[in-house]
Amino acid sequence: MSLFLVGGGYDDSLTEVYDEFVSQARHHNADAPIAVVVAGPASESADHAAELTRIVTSRWADANLLTIHLDGPGTAPTMGNPATPLWEENESFQLPDNLDTLAGIIVGGGAVPSYVNGLAPAAEQLSLLVRGGAPWLGFSAGAMAPCVTALAGGWKLGERQVGQQAGAEGFNDVTFVEGLGLVSLTVTTHNDTLSGDGLIISALESGLLSSAVAVDEATCLRIDASSGHTEVMGRGLVRWFTRAVNGVLVRSQHSAPPKPTPTPHRPRFEGLAKVAAATRAAHDKEEREKAARQRAEERHRAREQKDDAATASEEADSPAPTPSNPAAESVVESTTEDVKP
């Protein structure tokens, strides 16, 4: 059976998660109740309990339901300055017996310490419940409280802001508490809306954690209680963080392959784009004309060199004229005249 850890509050889009949870609970023990656990007295949490109850009744009309309002010692968060508890804690509050025999359990959202402190007396029974095959469906704090080390809240580490104050749950310093011990690694929720990556990375770098997993809203991390196999359900993603020697390793897990990156939008200032395109075209034309002129000049120089070479070759092939010698002519004539017949 499974732990269904939802990264936010109730979301209509997670029908597959709710269907699977109810199916597993019914298969585990159709005669046992399904517990719906919310933080605060009925006057504060009745609507939240009713919302979570409909997950079961809309799929299993005659299901046996057990609603638990956690309002005992340590469950009331404080707000304001001076700090004031959100509700009056019931010192005599006690959890029902035999929680390890439930068909399944749904744990709502709110402050993590409310659920940790409220359910801590039954931590061993809840461990037996999950290991025995009953499914757990936790929303927000209900997904974080089952961890061995649970994030209670906070937004600063060493005076440096590492998270959003909106998700600090009344804590300034990032604070981790001992959880119920059902999940070995730390789970955080609302990761997309609270931009929680920075807080987790800082917590790992500072040595507060060795590993963590962050779940988006409208997203569920399903963990098989026996094999440890995980599956992402819903429309968001789950990010796994592991401390390494030189930093933090981050791995994202989707319920389906991510959509391809959309085609970039056309330039907003189309007029400037047209001017730039025209400038590039004019520059390219000028470069082409310049190259054409250079080629023409090279051809002209080549022709001139060829003509000069041809002229020089013709002059070299012509015979040299015989030079005239008046003295020689005179000698011939004189000799001839002296010869007698």
Side-chain angles (χ1 to χ4, degrees):
M1 297 298 175
S2 305
L3 291 100
F4 298 89
L5 307 179
V6 179
Y10 174 85
D11 193 291
D12 289 334
S13 67
L14 296 176
T15 55
E16 182 184 5
V17 174
Y18 309 147
D19 292 345
E20 183 65 19
F21 168 80
V22 173
S23 175
Q24 289 190 14
R26 197 167 187 171
H27 181 268
H28 177 64
N29 191 345
D31 297 325
I34 293 178
V36 175
V37 183
V38 290
S43 59
E44 297 284 341
S45 57
D47 291 343
H48 188 27
E51 182 179 57
L52 301 182
T53 297
R54 284 194 292 272
I55 293 175
V56 180
T57 56
S58 62
R59 293 166 173 80
W60 186 4
D62 57 348
N64 184 6
L65 291 166
L66 170 65
T67 303
I68 302 174
H69 296 273
L70 300 175
D71 62 352
T75 61
T78 57
M79 297 293 290
N81 188 14
T84 305
L86 290 183
W87 58 77
E88 183 178 352
E89 295 178 342
N90 179 9
E91 296 295 331
S92 62
F93 172 82
Q94 288 187 341
L95 290 167
D97 295 330
N98 302 322
L99 291 182
D100 55 339
T101 63
L102 295 170
I105 184 170
I106 302 177
V107 183
V112 169
S114 299
Y115 291 95
V116 171
N117 295 331
L119 293 173
E124 186 175 349
Q125 292 186 56
L126 295 174
S127 178
L128 292 173
L129 174 71
V130 173
R131 286 190 283 117
W136 174 296
L137 173 57
F139 293 89
S140 187
M144 299 165 69
C147 303
V148 171
T149 302
L151 174 64
W155 60 295
K156 290 183 177 181
L157 266 178
E159 299 303 319
R160 177 176 179 267
Q161 180 173 342
V162 296
Q164 294 188 23
Q165 192 172 4
E169 296 292 344
F171 293 86
N172 285 324
D173 295 331
V174 174
T175 302
F176 293 92
V177 297
E178 183 179 355
L180 299 175
L182 309 182
V183 181
S184 60
L185 78 169
T186 297
V187 177
T188 65
T189 56
H190 307 281
N191 192 51
D192 50 348
T193 56
L194 293 180
S195 304
D197 291 355
L199 188 151
I200 299 173
I201 290 173
S202 297
L204 267 69
E205 289 177 336
S206 64
L208 294 175
L209 298 173
S210 60
S211 62
V213 58
V215 187
D216 284 355
E217 298 211 18
T219 308
C220 175
L221 173 64
R222 186 184 74 83
I223 303 176
D224 188 285
S226 58
S227 67
H229 175 75
T230 62
E231 177 189 5
V232 176
M233 308 170 75
R235 63 173 181 261
L237 63 82
V238 169
R239 280 199 170 132
W240 301 82
F241 300 82
T242 306
R243 189 171 62 200
V245 175
N246 297 321
V248 177
L249 298 177
V250 182
R251 177 174 62 88
S252 297
Q253 185 177 1
H254 298 259
S255 59
K259 295 180 179 179
T261 304
T263 303
H265 294 292
R266 296 180 62 186
R268 180 179 177 184
F269 300 104
E270 294 186 2
L272 292 179
K274 291 178 180 179
V275 170
T279 302
R280 287 194 300 270
H283 176 74
D284 294 342
K285 181 180 179 182
E286 182 179 351
E287 289 296 317
R288 289 194 299 270
E289 292 176 348
K290 181 179 179 181
R293 287 195 298 271
Q294 290 177 346
R295 290 194 298 271
E297 291 174 358
E298 290 174 356
R299 289 195 298 268
H300 179 70
R301 285 195 296 270
R303 284 196 297 269
E304 287 181 343
Q305 293 174 356
K306 184 176 180 181
D307 293 343
D308 292 343
T311 302
S313 177
E314 290 175 357
E315 292 176 350
D317 292 339
S318 300
T322 303
S324 59
N325 191 338
E329 294 176 356
S330 175
V331 170
V332 171
E333 292 176 356
S334 173
T335 304
T336 305
E337 289 176 357
D338 293 342
V339 173
K340 293 188 182 284

